[in-house]
């Protein structure tokens, strides 16, 4: 499979289409991002590493980090995680409050904001130094020490984070948040503020294509049975209420963030990351989705 040629061809095509979408300007700091940025990078189990465009530039990964915090909680707690958060697509916007009332404070899945707040609470209750421990966990996935939180992004989001504040307090009133909401929210805003490039992302998510084992030092991060479940959740819940569309058009497990990044996994083959900051109305990268659709169509490699 000539991944490099396919990536070059699809990148060229998608780069030439008219710009569409909007920056996630509800987080003031993200309104300053250059909307023309476009990068892609693939890391394969066979050892190919290839990128194009702005693939080495760090950007705010936002909700993509929800997969990483979930992996750490799942590694520590196993099945107890699912007593606190569900595994069903929400069919609602990522920051919706309404479903929580009906579901008595149990978020539909760990990738909507409500679910990620509960996972943040689990980490706070089970780690000595959650902020440092999460960073060390992420660094260990690819051996890359150059991974950090962005204080400008976390404080920017905190300054307008009223809806997340409401979500956290609402879940707390149902008893599904153990720690003080302020602490949970600070940790949540920090984890959303992590900055990585497409190159960093595809390298560190490769363990999910490799049955839960890292490639660089051969460590079993998650059991294969748990890895299967993380990938299944990314497939069914990774794209807000556009997860069906992503499965239909791209056919890979993945996760997007409002910073315009998308990571997608082909179990047994590769991890691929795309970044283009302009979002479609559902909050997913417009060009990122187009690129991945072209990539799995031309390579004829999707999980379906
Ligand atoms: N920090 C963002 C928020 O809570 C994350 C949204 C996202 O990337 O889905 O609104």
């Amino acid at each position: 499979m000539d991944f490099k040629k396919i990536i070059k061809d699809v990148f060229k095509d998608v780069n030439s289409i008219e710009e569409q979408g909007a920056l996630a300007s509800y987080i003031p700091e993200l309104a300053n991002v250059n909307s023309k940025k476009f990068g892609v990078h693939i890391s394969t189990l066979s050892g190919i590493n290839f990128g194009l465009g702005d693939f080495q530039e760090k950007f705010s990964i936002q909700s993509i980090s929800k997969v990483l915090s979930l992996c750490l909680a799942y590694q520590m707690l196993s099945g107890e995680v699912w007593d606190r958060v569900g595994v069903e697509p929400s069919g609602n916007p990522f920051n919706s409050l309404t479903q929580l009332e009906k579901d008595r404070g149990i978020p539909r899945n760990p990738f909507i904001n409500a679910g990620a707040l509960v996972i943040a609470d689990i980490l706070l209750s089970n780690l000595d130094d959650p902020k440092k421990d999460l960073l060390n966990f992420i660094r260990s996935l690819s051996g890359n020490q150059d991974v950090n939180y962005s204080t400008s992004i976390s404080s920017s989001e905190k300054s307008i984070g009223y809806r997340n504040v409401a979500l956290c307090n609402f879940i707390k009133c149902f008893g599904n948040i153990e720690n003080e909401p302020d602490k949970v929210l600070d940790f949540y805003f920090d984890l959303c503020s992590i900055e990585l490039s497409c190159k960093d992302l595809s390298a560190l998510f490769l363990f999910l294509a490799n049955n839960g084992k890292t490639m660089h030092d051969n460590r079993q991060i998650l059991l294969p049975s748990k890895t299967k479940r993380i990938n299944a959740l990314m497939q069914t819940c990774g794209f807000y209420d556009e997860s069906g569309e992503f499965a239909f058009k791209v056919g890979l497990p993945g996760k997007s963030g409002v910073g315009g990044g998308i990571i997608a996994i082909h179990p047994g083959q590769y991890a691929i990351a795309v970044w283009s900051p302009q979002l479609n109305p559902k909050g997913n990268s417009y060009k990122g989705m187009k690129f991945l659709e072209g990539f799995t169509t031309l390579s004829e490699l999707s999980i379906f």
Side-chain angles (χ1 to χ4, degrees), residues 35-260:
S35 64
K36 302 260 183 289
K37 294 286 174 183
F38 185 33
V40 57
H41 191 273
I42 190 167
S43 302
T44 73
L45 295 183
S46 62
I48 297 168
N49 283 290
F50 179 70
L52 274 184
D54 302 303
F55 71 96
Q56 302 196 75
E57 194 167 318
K58 287 184 187 293
F59 60 93
S60 178
I61 69 166
Q62 291 294 320
S63 272
I64 296 175
S65 64
K66 290 172 180 164
V67 182
L68 302 170
S69 53
L70 174 65
C71 286
L72 182 55
Y74 199 21
Q75 188 195 57
M76 290 188 304
L77 285 198
S78 293
E80 289 158 60
V81 170
W82 314 124
D83 298 336
R84 308 259 318 258
V85 59
V87 295
E88 292 296 339
S90 75
N92 277 304
F94 65 95
N95 54 9
S96 168
L97 279 145
T98 50
Q99 219 161 35
L100 273 175
E101 173 83 317
K102 208 165 96 266
D103 294 345
R104 312 291 301 159
I106 307 288
R108 281 285 162 108
N109 70 65
F111 297 153
I112 51 174
N113 287 12
L117 285 162
V118 170
I119 298 297
D121 182 59
I122 290 175
L123 293 179
L124 281 175
S125 298
N126 286 279
L127 293 170
D128 294 336
D129 188 344
K131 211 174 148 180
K132 193 164 140 237
D133 295 344
L134 178 68
L135 210 51
N136 285 340
F137 173 71
I138 296 173
R139 287 173 174 169
S140 76
L141 294 176
S142 61
N144 177 3
Q145 298 306 305
D146 184 25
V147 181
N148 279 301
Y149 302 106
S150 157
T151 43
S152 57
I153 291 177
S154 59
S155 45
S156 173
E157 182 167 10
K158 197 174 168 181
S159 72
I160 50 82
Y162 305 112
R163 195 169 256 276
N164 286 317
V165 171
L167 282 168
C168 195
N169 282 285
F170 200 33
I171 305 170
K172 175 91 180 163
C173 86
F174 289 107
N176 195 20
I177 290 281
E178 290 172 357
N179 297 279
E180 276 313 305
D182 278 356
K183 271 181 71 185
V184 179
L185 285 157
D186 279 351
F187 186 41
Y188 172 81
F189 292 136
D190 282 335
L191 90 94
C192 290
S193 80
I194 291 171
E195 293 183 306
L196 291 169
S197 66
C198 290
K199 188 176 177 195
D200 301 330
L201 271 175
S202 67
L204 77 82
F205 273 84
L206 196 55
F207 78 103
L208 291 176
N210 193 32
N211 269 322
K213 217 182 230 189
T214 54
M215 288 293 287
H216 72 290
D217 61 358
N218 214 30
R219 274 178 316 116
Q220 193 77 50
I221 301 292
L222 285 179
L223 292 172
S225 58
K226 289 185 173 181
T227 308
K228 177 187 78 177
R229 289 180 173 160
I230 299 285
N231 285 335
L233 278 171
M234 284 202 283
Q235 181 71 64
T236 52
C237 309
F239 295 85
Y240 314 116
D241 52 343
E242 203 172 30
S243 297
E245 183 97 356
F246 191 82
F248 184 71
K249 289 187 168 161
V250 178
L252 294 175
K255 182 74 198 87
S256 61
V258 295

